[in-house]
Amino acid sequence: MFDRVLVPLDGSALAESALKPACSLAGEVVLFHAAAPSPSERAEAAKYLAAVAGRLRRKGIRVETRLQSGEPSRLLARAALKERIDLVVLSGRGRGGGGKGPLGSVAERILRTSPLPVLLLRGGAKIRRVLVPLRQGCPGLIVTVAELARPLHAKVALLHPGARKDRRLVVAMDVLTRLGIPARVCSRDGAADLVAVTDLGGPARRLLRDSGRSLLLVRRGA
């Protein structure tokens, strides 16, 4: 479980769809809203955040709210560092997600600018299987995958096309075994609800266009 998870909201039902999985992953949820600067719109956004926070608190969830004005992705990256956030969780589209393809412009900018791990939820399905391409693998990614898989009761598949074990595979299996996460090795990119990567190049480019699978981005050194 992560201590503090940040969820960007914009008033849309789709953005709010990230709340349920985020709450299952977090000790505390921080609701973030980048509102327009006009007083009336800020007041409306503040009322909206208070209503969402109240709904979650009645379920026993620890919640804080943050309301700022400006460009969402830039403000979110700054707030995530200031608030000591462990994970950003967002849906693939929201009210501002008008970019080309299934990702959405705001979500894509958050993925590209956030220095912290980002979980992009898409497809509407539960996360039951996490795929980790080992050529993307690093200890930080494996640990984050484990912390995510445990509360979601998800299994982990390590994508390793070679016949022989290498150090990355041995380390990844050792970390997951010690953390009590079910894991297996696979040689092809099969059916997975979530793919975990360390950058947005290579295979991740295809994933950005795949509206059916969620994406976990954990940059090296994060």
Side-chain angles (χ1 to χ4, degrees):
M1 181 173 285
F2 302 90
D3 288 336
R4 287 167 66 81
V5 169
L6 187 147
V7 181
L9 297 177
D10 59 7
S12 69
L14 189 54
E16 288 184 32
S17 68
L19 287 172
K20 184 175 180 179
C23 291
S24 69
L25 295 170
E28 183 172 50
V29 175
V30 179
L31 306 179
F32 175 87
H33 195 309
S38 73
S40 61
E41 290 180 304
R42 282 185 62 87
E44 182 182 351
K47 183 178 179 181
Y48 164 72
L49 280 180
V52 176
R55 193 169 72 231
L56 296 179
R57 288 183 181 122
R58 286 191 290 273
K59 297 179 180 178
I61 298 166
R62 292 169 54 199
V63 184
E64 292 186 9
T65 61
R66 297 292 183 267
L67 176 62
Q68 298 183 15
S69 297
E71 200 282 311
S73 59
R74 189 175 305 167
L75 291 173
L76 185 144
R78 190 181 307 160
L81 289 174
K82 182 180 178 181
E83 299 290 337
R84 297 182 180 180
I85 297 298
D86 301 303
L87 180 70
V88 177
V89 180
L90 71 158
S91 64
R93 278 191 180 277
R95 182 173 293 170
K100 295 180 180 179
L103 182 60
S105 58
V106 172
E108 184 169 1
R109 285 198 297 273
I110 290 172
L111 273 172
R112 297 192 182 283
T113 59
S114 174
L116 300 173
V118 177
L119 174 60
L120 175 72
L121 295 166
R122 296 185 293 184
K126 290 181 63 177
I127 296 174
R128 298 175 295 267
R129 184 169 178 260
V130 182
L131 180 70
V132 184
L134 272 185
R135 74 182 193 83
Q136 291 252 340
C138 67
L141 176 65
I142 299 300
V143 171
T144 303
V145 165
E147 290 300 313
L148 184 146
R150 183 185 290 111
L152 297 179
H153 305 290
K155 296 180 180 179
V156 176
L158 302 173
L159 181 61
H160 185 265
R164 298 176 59 184
K165 291 183 179 180
D166 60 22
R167 184 177 181 277
R168 290 173 300 181
L169 177 58
V170 172
V171 170
M173 288 297 293
D174 180 63
V175 170
L176 293 170
T177 299
R178 284 191 287 108
L179 294 174
I181 306 299
R184 68 180 184 88
V185 181
C186 62
S187 59
R188 63 177 62 185
D189 182 354
D193 306 303
L194 172 70
V195 181
V197 297
T198 56
D199 62 64
L200 296 178
R205 291 197 196 108
R206 176 171 54 82
L207 292 169
L208 292 179
R209 298 190 297 269
D210 183 351
S211 61
R213 292 203 283 188
S214 298
L215 183 70
L216 172 67
L217 174 66
V218 182
R219 287 187 168 85
R220 294 182 186 275

